[in-house]
Amino acid sequence: METDLPSSLATLAPIARRPLHEAAIDRLRDLIVQGELPPGSRLNERVLAGRLGISRTPLREAFKLLAAEGLVELLPNRGAIVAQLDPKRIGQTLAVMGALEALIGELACKQAPETAIAEIRALHFEMRAAHARRDLAVYFRYNQAIHLKLAEAAGNAVLALTYRQLNANVRRVRYMANLSPERWDAAVREHDAILAALGARDGSRLKALLSDHLAQKTASVLAALAERPAMAAA
Amino acid sequence: METDLPSSLATLAPIARRPLHEAAIDRLRDLIVQGELPPGSRLNERVLAGRLGISRTPLREAFKLLAAEGLVELLPNRGAIVAQLDPKRIGQTLAVMGALEALIGELACKQAPETAIAEIRALHFEMRAAHARRDLAVYFRYNQAIHLKLAEAAGNAVLALTYRQLNANVRRVRYMANLSPERWDAAVREHDAILAALGARDGSRLKALLSDHLAQKTASVLAALAERPAMAAA
DNA sequence: CCTATAAGTTTTGCATGCAGAATACAAAAC
DNA sequence: GTTTTGTATTCTGCATGCAAAACTTATAGG
């Protein structure tokens, strides 16, 4: 049987020994999403493994998982490269995200606990603060956080996970494209309306607002992509 | 420059050398989906690698990718097991598939080439033939083929891929649960209506029919799961 | 009889080694 | 000068080896 422990020990979190391939995935994903590894970059196994301080084995596992996420492209016998930002594919991804957001809007209004809505509201005002300061980077962070939190608030783990993965592919564009002041202001207004609908738990209205918001975002993302048609390797 | 080649050589398909981890994934996915590796089964690396005739390295890559698909569960330092059929998770997966099917229905009616619709029609009648023969296994195969082909017909590769992956998780239940004759007949009627709507390219009707079809399927799948609450390892 | 401890075994996680494919480079032929 | 052919090098794909963690069995203590 288990001996009684002092509560301080009983609640002690175990020391998490993170698998190396997971750490590598997170590091690489960040580098790719933030554009530090530009589209088309060759990912040399030996070099990258050395830089990350791991061996090729877990790194290769990371490559394959990132390929499944669509962030990396595997060329058989010829290595891995950072996936190109293909406007067609990005457009398709956004369309799928739209379908998911419709469900998110419905479910979130029906099932989200008040605490989750309160958290989203808090994030919303943090985002508005960043907007007021014209701090684009922080704005993006809170913007992302809101959308992801909303996906979680729907109470469907599969939905949240799927949404999250698709989102990573789209986020890459954001780090390369600036936002026009008008579009930025409009986006904030859209978020105001979204928050209001969520607070009122008006599912069909939230659904419509999210759909509209995403349509605007799609236009802005694809316009940004059109400006730099194909980014070559670095 | 490239020398002109006899057309027989110019059209020669290259010899495809398939990576071992992909082959392993396909083999394992089939075994899991068809229930030959029951939920909870431990996947011993050395044993499985030996049986598949490969080394542990590509097998471990396969494990991780199957975990990303939700078919395998990785227990840190304790190996991999076949993922349990969690009714809650299956229900969530079906809900997401519903959102995707709504988009599939719309896009397929708008964009599917006639050839794709013709192919789906052909598959439909193959399925009806199997139904007439009460051949459940063949029926399932064509049923799956129709839904996947429909997803492809929408002309959105990301959509098709996402749908396909979620579908694998649900398919597992089918191989373990029989279908009542009434439900079977009803499903075939629903498919008749779906095909008609697709042929007429009536997007909103197709959307509604797919939604209804999935709702029925959800009920039947969850009912089947409720009968055998938690399947232990084999 | 049950629990706790310790040695022995198995298994995973990762690093490394090796064969074959791909690439880069150089020399020869045109 | 351009293209082709041969050679050296680099890289990937996979197998194997090794240390640490987990499981198993045996043994001592209550």
Side-chain angles (χ1 to χ4, degrees):
Chain A
M1 253 310 180
E2 195 165 284
T3 317
D4 283 299
L5 294 167
S7 65
S8 60
L9 279 180
T11 61
L12 196 61
I15 296 172
R17 230 202 78 271
R18 203 128 177 282
L20 292 187
H21 74 269
E22 277 186 25
I25 286 174
D26 288 347
R27 287 281 295 277
L28 290 176
R29 186 172 23 225
D30 278 355
L31 291 174
I32 292 171
V33 167
Q34 296 179 16
E36 286 179 56
L37 286 173
S41 313
R42 286 206 73 244
L43 301 172
N44 184 296
E45 293 180 3
R46 200 165 30 79
V47 172
L48 252 183
R51 191 158 311 180
L52 292 175
I54 62 179
S55 80
R56 289 172 53 222
T57 305
L59 180 61
R60 287 169 55 80
E61 294 169 354
F63 282 176
K64 271 148 190 128
L65 285 161
L66 288 169
E69 288 187 27
L71 294 175
V72 158
E73 203 173 331
L74 299 178
L75 313 175
N77 283 319
R78 313 198 308 140
I81 62 175
V82 176
Q84 298 288 342
L85 284 173
D86 175 15
K88 184 174 164 192
R89 192 178 174 85
I90 298 285
Q92 292 182 342
T93 303
L94 284 161
V96 176
M97 288 175 71
L100 297 184
E101 279 192 352
L103 181 58
I104 288 170
E106 259 180 62
L107 291 181
C109 282
K110 257 190 240 163
Q111 312 192 3
E114 280 299 329
T115 56
I117 295 181
E119 177 57 25
I120 290 171
R121 183 172 289 117
L123 291 168
H124 177 77
F125 287 116
E126 298 277 11
M127 185 187 79
R128 289 206 53 167
H131 175 239
R133 291 193 194 95
R134 316 309 283 178
D135 186 337
L136 196 56
V138 173
Y139 170 83
F140 276 152
R141 266 230 314 281
Y142 283 113
N143 187 7
Q144 287 298 318
I146 287 169
H147 283 282
L148 293 179
K149 195 77 194 170
L150 190 60
E152 279 173 36
N156 180 327
V158 177
L159 178 57
L161 188 76
T162 309
Y163 183 82
R164 204 183 162 77
Q165 237 174 242
L166 295 171
N167 186 50
N169 280 278
V170 174
R171 247 198 319 162
R172 300 176 63 195
V173 185
R174 284 293 165 166
Y175 279 92
M176 313 194 170
N178 273 350
L179 207 55
S180 76
E182 301 78 36
R183 175 63 204 130
W184 194 356
D185 295 347
V188 170
R189 283 196 301 277
E190 287 159 22
H191 265 269
D192 282 339
I194 286 168
L195 183 66
L198 178 64
R201 293 184 180 273
D202 184 340
S204 58
R205 184 151 62 96
L206 179 55
K207 202 163 140 176
L209 289 168
L210 285 172
S211 166
D212 191 56
H213 183 57
L214 188 73
Q216 299 299 325
K217 175 169 176 174
T218 300
S220 131
V221 162
L222 292 185
L225 269 180
E227 275 172 27
R228 34 174 106 192
M231 335 191 68
Chain B
M1 252 313 178
E2 195 164 283
T3 316
D4 285 297
L5 293 168
S7 64
S8 60
L9 278 180
T11 61
L12 196 60
I15 297 171
R17 226 200 82 271
R18 199 127 179 281
L20 291 187
H21 74 270
E22 278 186 24
I25 286 174
D26 287 347
R27 287 279 297 277
L28 290 176
R29 187 176 13 232
D30 279 354
L31 291 174
I32 293 171
V33 167
Q34 296 178 16
E36 287 180 56
L37 286 173
S41 313
R42 287 206 74 244
L43 300 173
N44 183 296
E45 293 181 1
R46 200 167 28 81
V47 173
L48 251 182
R51 192 159 310 180
L52 293 174
I54 62 180
S55 81
R56 288 172 52 219
T57 305
L59 180 62
R60 285 169 57 81
E61 293 169 355
F63 282 176
K64 273 153 189 120
L65 286 161
L66 288 169
E69 289 186 27
L71 294 175
V72 158
E73 204 173 330
L74 298 178
L75 313 175
N77 285 319
R78 313 201 304 141
I81 62 174
V82 176
Q84 297 288 343
L85 285 173
D86 175 13
K88 185 174 164 193
R89 194 179 172 83
I90 297 284
Q92 292 182 342
T93 303
L94 284 161
V96 176
M97 289 176 71
L100 297 184
E101 280 192 351
L103 182 58
I104 288 171
E106 259 180 63
L107 291 181
C109 283
K110 259 189 234 159
Q111 311 191 4
E114 278 299 329
T115 56
I117 295 182
E119 177 57 25
I120 290 172
R121 183 173 289 115
L123 290 169
H124 177 76
F125 288 116
E126 299 276 11
M127 186 188 79
R128 290 208 51 167
H131 174 240
R133 290 193 195 95
R134 316 309 283 179
D135 186 337
L136 197 57
V138 172
Y139 171 84
F140 275 152
R141 265 231 313 284
Y142 282 112
N143 187 5
Q144 286 298 317
I146 287 169
H147 283 283
L148 292 179
K149 194 80 193 170
L150 191 60
E152 279 175 36
N156 182 325
V158 177
L159 178 57
L161 188 75
T162 308
Y163 183 82
R164 203 183 163 77
Q165 241 174 241
L166 295 171
N167 185 51
N169 280 278
V170 173
R171 248 200 314 162
R172 299 176 64 198
V173 185
R174 284 292 162 161
Y175 280 91
M176 315 196 168
N178 273 348
L179 207 53
S180 76
E182 302 78 36
R183 176 63 204 129
W184 194 356
D185 295 347
V188 170
R189 282 196 302 276
E190 287 159 22
H191 265 270
D192 282 339
I194 286 169
L195 184 66
L198 177 65
R201 292 184 179 273
D202 184 340
S204 57
R205 184 151 61 97
L206 180 55
K207 202 163 138 177
L209 289 168
L210 285 172
S211 166
D212 191 55
H213 184 56
L214 189 72
Q216 299 300 325
K217 175 168 176 172
T218 300
S220 131
V221 162
L222 292 185
L225 269 180
E227 276 173 30
R228 35 174 107 191
M231 336 191 68

